[in-house]
Amino acid sequence: MTADREIAYVRVLSGPQKGGVFVLRGHSVYAIGRGEGCQLRVDDPALEVRHGFITQEDGAWTFRDPQRYGNCFVNDIPTHRRNLEGGEVVRIGKRVELFFTFNRPQPRTRTPEERLARVEEAPLAVPRAPGAPSGLEEEVGTLVAPLRPADQEEVPSETARAEQRAAEQTARPLRLVVVDGDPRDIGKELILDEDGVYLLGRCTDCDLPLHDKKMSREHCRVERVGETCRVSDLNSLNGTVVNGLRAASTRFGAGDYIRVGFTVLAAQRVRAAETT
């Protein structure tokens, strides 16, 4: 097994644990689903207890849908079995989208505007479910997105809305940061000033030029007018996806994820200390 493929990472792009990152290491089989014994547990009632599996053998990683549920996709292609080379987007069910990569995501400090994963440095114990293969009950290191408390309001209260509006009036600048994709691009960022228009693509003349070969030369346009940000696809071959949904043009804000080709960008607020 090659050293650079001993560990893989799965970022949750959309679904209940959006922003969470699972670390895959030390095992040959990783179950994906809503069951207690799943290493990639996603609390979506639309999923099966064990919806699919990611397996690895001698550094070769594979996604499998052994039950053939018919709603598993890799890079938007219906899939029962697919080798994973890094950079694939796996969609299961109707709203859960996972990004598979060998590049370790960079942990960031959680802010009120960004509901990102809480970094767990110590490995978490994974309980063994009935019928689970032996060896899966061992500890697996993970970075897990926190769940919403059961007593938390699903819909923000009027007070929360008023606070949000007040915060938006004094909002800090927004930026797009490459969090997954070509290693040469990870960490690149684009500051979105008010009343700005920006191009993203492979062309070197773009405001954010990227190396992703799945992107078009001029892939999408990002516009900001006041506090409103919008991304519009420029008839690209592979489309633009925001929080798991493909869109011709849609608004976005801090905490959202934009996928163009194999590249994933996170929308973040710029901290006050970075603007001084």
Side-chain angles (χ1 to χ4, degrees):
M1 181 186 300
T2 57
D4 59 342
R5 294 207 170 197
E6 290 182 352
I7 303 176
Y9 305 88
V10 173
R11 180 186 292 276
V12 183
L13 299 183
S14 62
Q17 277 97 344
K18 186 183 82 169
V21 178
F22 294 95
V23 179
L24 280 55
R25 63 184 172 198
H27 295 287
S28 58
V29 181
Y30 302 86
I32 310 171
R34 57 181 172 83
E36 292 285 344
C38 291
Q39 284 75 31
L40 280 71
R41 186 183 177 194
V42 182
D43 294 311
D44 187 339
L47 299 183
E48 302 293 334
V49 174
R50 284 186 179 83
H51 206 99
F53 297 86
I54 291 178
T55 64
Q56 74 88 10
E57 183 177 359
D58 295 330
W61 294 78
T62 305
F63 171 77
R64 303 175 187 271
D65 172 22
Q67 303 300 322
R68 295 180 176 267
Y69 291 117
N71 56 357
C72 295
F73 301 80
V74 176
N75 293 341
D76 296 325
I77 299 174
T79 301
H80 299 308
R81 184 182 185 280
R82 170 74 178 267
N83 292 335
L84 302 174
E85 299 296 332
E88 291 84 5
V89 175
V90 177
R91 177 159 51 90
I92 55 176
K94 295 182 178 180
R95 62 182 184 134
V96 176
E97 197 170 47
L98 311 170
F99 188 85
F100 179 87
T101 180
F102 296 111
N103 300 317
R104 179 178 177 84
Q106 297 299 317
R108 297 188 294 111
T109 303
R110 188 181 180 187
T111 64
E113 298 87 358
E114 302 165 341
R115 297 177 180 178
L116 299 179
R118 176 170 49 87
V119 177
E120 298 283 356
E121 290 298 339
L124 303 179
V126 178
R128 185 181 180 187
S134 61
L136 292 187
E137 72 276 19
E138 298 177 10
E139 290 185 340
V140 178
T142 58
L143 310 181
V144 184
L147 302 179
R148 180 177 60 84
D151 57 351
Q152 180 177 325
E153 292 179 306
E154 184 68 31
V155 179
S157 64
E158 286 300 325
T159 302
R161 291 193 185 98
E163 292 175 350
Q164 181 178 359
R165 286 194 294 268
E168 288 178 349
Q169 292 176 359
T170 58
R172 300 186 297 274
L174 198 71
R175 64 182 171 190
L176 293 177
V177 180
V178 178
V179 295
D180 249 318
D182 190 293
R184 293 171 291 181
D185 295 329
I186 293 178
K188 284 186 177 180
E189 64 179 54
L190 176 66
I191 302 296
L192 305 179
D193 295 321
E194 291 187 13
D195 302 323
V197 180
Y198 311 89
L199 287 178
L200 280 66
R202 290 189 295 108
C203 180
T204 56
D205 291 334
C206 289
D207 298 284
L208 184 59
L210 300 167
H211 294 88
D212 191 340
K213 293 183 179 179
K214 196 181 179 185
M215 293 182 64
S216 299
R217 288 180 56 79
E218 292 186 354
H219 195 100
C220 63
R221 179 178 65 248
V222 174
E223 302 173 82
R224 180 174 179 180
V225 179
E227 287 304 312
T228 301
C229 295
R230 177 175 293 275
V231 58
S232 302
D233 189 75
L234 298 178
N235 297 318
S236 66
L237 180 62
N238 294 301
T240 299
V241 177
V242 178
N243 295 333
L245 298 177
R246 188 162 177 165
S249 180
T250 188
R251 294 176 61 179
F252 69 91
D256 290 330
Y257 288 88
I258 301 173
R259 176 167 60 86
V260 285
F262 290 136
T263 301
V264 180
L265 303 105
Q268 307 172 1
R269 289 292 181 190
V270 179
R271 290 175 294 182
E274 298 177 282
T275 59
T276 59

